[in-house]
């Protein structure tokens, strides 16, 4: 069966990220240490509430501000919280190749409004996808089934028609249960090699 959609995870696949950078910047204007701040914002219960739209961007800011006694305003907070990403050029080039072949590509990400705003402004490669499925816009996180269903609806593809790249085994397993072709991303080279069996 022909591949009709390539679905990329964002974090650690198309961009690297380091919450330590935000924690150090925020610590300069707060009473908490970088380590304490990182524990609060990096893959934390609070971040998952934010990325699954249980709380808004403003509520997320207010919770962090109150817990670390941040002295700055929202704009300073958002600039620091968002500026944690670096592009992985080998992977954005892969997307360019697929698009040149006429293959639709998608980003399926557990993410938040501040991160997406920052990435959109900072990285031109981000514009060159067919469509985007973000957890905070749908109130549901990978590996919950619903966000994979939404991806199938938006792409018009399903099962073996979809190739999915993600660095987290639990996200890959949920996609594999739906019959998607999956690659647990470790490095651009390993992913390129694995893709050769399906797309040339
Ligand atoms: Mg990831």
């Amino acid at each position: 069966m022909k591949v009709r959609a390539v679905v990329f995870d964002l974090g650690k696949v198309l961009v690297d990220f380091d919450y330590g950078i935000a924690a150090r910047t925020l610590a300069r204007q707060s009473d908490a240490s970088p380590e304490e701040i990182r524990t609060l914002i990096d893959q934390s219960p609070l971040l998952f509430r934010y990325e699954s739209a249980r709380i808004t961007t403003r509520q997320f800011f207010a919770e962090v501000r109150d817990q670390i006694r941040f002295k700055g305003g929202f704009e300073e907070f958002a600039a620091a919280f968002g500026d944690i990403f670096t592009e992985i050029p080998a992977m954005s080039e892969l997307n360019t190749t697929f698009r040149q072949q006429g293959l639709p590509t998608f980003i399926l990400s557990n993410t938040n409004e501040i991160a997406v705003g920052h990435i959109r402004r900072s990285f031109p490669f981000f514009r060159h996808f067919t469509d985007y499925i973000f957890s905070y816009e749908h109130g549901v996180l990978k590996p919950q089934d619903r966000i994979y269903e939404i991806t199938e609806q938006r792409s018009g593809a399903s099962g073996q028609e979809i190739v999915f790249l993600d660095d987290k085994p639990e996200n890959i397993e949920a996609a594999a249960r739906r019959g998607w072709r999956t690659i647990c991303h470790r490095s651009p080279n390993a992913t390129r090699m694995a893709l050769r069996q399906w797309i040339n």
Side-chain angles (χ1 to χ4, degrees), residues 40-95:
L40 180 66
I41 63 173
D42 185 0
Q43 311 304 304
S44 62
L46 178 61
L47 183 69
F48 293 139
R49 281 165 58 211
Y50 179 34
E51 297 198 330
S52 60
R54 302 288 181 280
I55 54 174
T56 64
T57 292
R58 288 288 173 164
Q59 288 168 328
F60 177 70
F61 164 62
E63 281 217 29
V64 175
R65 181 194 59 206
D66 294 351
Q67 289 204 40
I68 72 173
R69 289 168 300 283
F70 180 65
K71 313 293 190 296
F74 172 75
E75 295 304 328
E76 284 167 285
F77 170 79
F81 182 76
D83 191 12
I84 64 170
F85 298 99
T86 48
E87 184 174 347
I88 303 173
M91 293 304 288
S92 40
E93 285 161 18
L94 196 56
N95 179 58

Side-chain angles (χ1 to χ4, degrees), residues 98-109:
F98 292 147
R99 295 309 305 276
Q100 284 168 349
Q101 293 172 354
L103 191 54
T105 60
F106 300 82
I107 296 180
L108 168 57
S109 176

